[in-house]
Amino acid sequence: MVKILLGGSPCTYWSVARKSGREKQPSGMGWELFLNYKIAMEKFKPDFFLYENNESAAEPIKEQIAAELGVPLFHGDSSLVSAQMRRRIYAFNWQCEQPEDRGITLKDIIRTRGYWKDLHSDRYPVGMGYRNRREADGKLYRRFETSGAEKANALTTVETDSMIIEPYIHQNASLFKQKEFVMVQNGTYLHKGRIYNIALPNGDYIFRHFTQMEAERLQTLPDGYTAAASRTAARKALGNGWTADLIIHILKAGLAGVDRMEEIVVLSMYDGIGTGRYCLDKLGFVDVTYYAYEIEPTAIKIALDNYPDIIELGDAFQIRDPAWPAAPLASQPLLLSAT
């Protein structure tokens, strides 16, 4: 039997996107969420562990995470294996090199509407996101952040943080809603009576959200993986999730010597949509018992739709029960035998 601990405590309190009350020291609710993972490691005693969080966490927090888990942090960027720029920190108890750049661009994952073959090579889709900013004059502006011609901004739970801009093909005008159309001239465009700056060549464009399928592809998950949820709910769940192919790359290095027929017992903290289960499946492990702590209903629904054998356990704070695992997991003999 091989025991694996997976997890990525919610980054809500640590992210630079937080408008107020961002935690910059290893204390507060964000740190308590991390400590659930640390407690799980102490109690479960895994053979392998993998932890993930946002690169934007403050340095004192990242330094303390490395100290608590006893390993250096691995700085991974999903742009090497996907069409999005998504920087994250990882902690695991094995060695792993950065993956090779697969050269995946937005053009590779866009759900085409039958006209990309007509575009010149210099007219790629452009990833874009915006966030509201209050400037010195007290007025609220939308600050657009273009990510270049090949990669999307990191997928988040906020749709406007990561969108898609496509060249507008007039003969296909009926495919689009008029509100999606903008005309860029001299680095500016007009929207609802206000002029915005944007780093795009002159021309006509469509501004739109990623489709559900495109968001799945940004996270390197199969088309239809989130079909059990609505587009909006799935988009949020995907924004909270892992880029599967980067996790697969990391796990492959750690589990290289483990027979694919070996019994695997997984404890997943803040499991989300079951990406960890998917990654082990893609790595070829066939005897996996997967225990997941997760409370978000949509995430659980998506996870179970893909892997009905996942054993959902609820709130991660249960790990602090002095009697764990006997009290909360009395009906789960496999996990009991693994401790």
Side-chain angles (χ1 to χ4, degrees):
M1 178 191 295
V2 172
K3 295 188 292 180
I4 303 173
L5 175 65
L6 302 175
S9 57
C11 65
T12 310
Y13 299 92
W14 295 346
S15 174
V16 291
R18 189 175 179 87
K19 294 180 180 179
S20 63
R22 177 180 176 235
E23 296 174 2
K24 299 180 181 180
Q25 297 295 326
S27 61
M29 181 51 70
W31 190 249
E32 291 301 316
L33 294 170
F34 163 76
L35 287 179
N36 286 339
Y37 182 91
K38 174 71 182 303
I39 293 169
M41 188 167 74
E42 293 169 346
K43 291 187 173 184
F44 186 53
K45 297 179 174 55
D47 300 296
F48 301 93
F49 69 83
L50 170 62
Y51 175 82
E52 176 267 358
N53 217 294
N54 200 314
E55 181 74 69
S56 70
E59 288 303 317
I61 291 174
K62 291 190 285 190
E63 291 172 3
Q64 193 60 32
I65 287 173
E68 294 286 343
L69 298 182
V71 295
L73 297 183
F74 178 89
H75 300 269
D77 189 345
S78 295
S79 69
L80 296 173
V81 298
S82 75
Q84 67 169 320
M85 298 188 299
R86 187 183 185 88
R87 294 179 175 84
R88 293 293 186 268
I89 56 169
Y90 300 88
F92 42 83
N93 59 334
W94 60 86
Q95 298 296 314
C96 180
E97 300 295 327
Q98 293 285 349
E100 293 185 4
D101 190 343
R102 299 179 186 176
I104 300 172
T105 69
L106 280 171
K107 194 172 182 179
D108 297 316
I109 66 98
I110 293 300
R111 185 180 183 184
T112 63
R113 304 191 190 189
Y115 59 81
W116 279 111
K117 64 181 182 297
D118 300 322
L119 296 183
H120 298 295
S121 60
D122 62 342
R123 298 202 72 184
Y124 279 80
V126 181
M128 182 273 283
Y130 70 77
R131 290 178 180 157
N132 291 331
R133 292 287 188 270
R134 193 171 298 279
E135 305 296 341
D137 60 7
K139 294 181 180 179
L140 194 65
Y141 293 91
R142 281 179 172 176
R143 178 182 174 186
F144 285 83
E145 301 167 347
T146 57
S147 66
E150 297 188 346
K151 301 286 186 180
N153 292 337
L155 200 67
T156 72
T157 60
V158 182
E159 285 196 309
T160 52
D161 285 354
S162 183
M163 299 176 67
I164 192 74
I165 304 176
E166 298 176 328
Y168 179 84
I169 309 301
H170 290 276
Q171 59 266 35
N172 292 310
S174 61
L175 295 175
F176 302 101
K177 298 177 182 178
Q178 187 62 32
K179 66 179 181 180
E180 296 177 324
F181 167 75
V182 298
M183 180 171 61
V184 175
Q185 289 185 319
N186 301 320
T188 66
Y189 74 96
L190 180 68
H191 178 68
K192 293 184 178 180
R194 181 177 290 177
I195 295 176
Y196 295 95
N197 295 322
I198 191 164
L200 287 176
N202 288 351
D204 299 335
Y205 297 87
I206 296 296
F207 286 24
R208 67 172 177 83
H209 300 301
F210 284 101
T211 67
Q212 190 166 341
M213 183 182 294
E214 289 165 350
E216 291 166 344
R217 292 174 179 179
L218 286 175
Q219 290 290 50
T220 63
L221 287 165
D223 292 355
Y225 188 86
T226 61
S230 68
R231 187 195 70 86
T232 301
R235 174 66 173 68
K236 182 177 180 180
L238 286 161
N240 276 327
W242 284 350
T243 304
D245 279 8
L246 187 52
I247 299 299
I248 289 170
H249 171 79
I250 295 171
L251 286 175
K252 184 177 181 180
L255 304 177
V258 179
D259 191 290
R260 270 33 182 179
M261 302 301 293
E262 179 73 57
E263 178 185 3
I264 307 295
V265 177
V266 177
L267 180 59
S268 177
M269 306 294 292
Y270 315 103
D271 183 62
I273 59 177
T275 305
R277 179 70 180 83
Y278 166 78
C279 293
L280 291 169
D281 187 47
K282 292 295 289 182
L283 284 169
F285 291 99
V286 297
D287 186 5
V288 179
T289 303
Y290 194 94
Y291 297 92
Y293 278 109
E294 178 57 55
I295 60 172
E296 210 286 314
T298 297
I300 294 172
K301 184 177 181 180
I302 293 170
L304 292 177
D305 182 60
N306 288 280
Y307 295 98
D309 61 345
I310 291 177
I311 302 166
E312 294 286 352
L313 300 174
D315 191 343
F317 277 91
Q318 293 181 66
I319 203 77
R320 300 188 181 208
D321 189 317
W324 190 95
L329 304 179
S331 63
Q332 309 298 341
L334 260 179
L335 190 55
L336 283 169
S337 66
T339 59

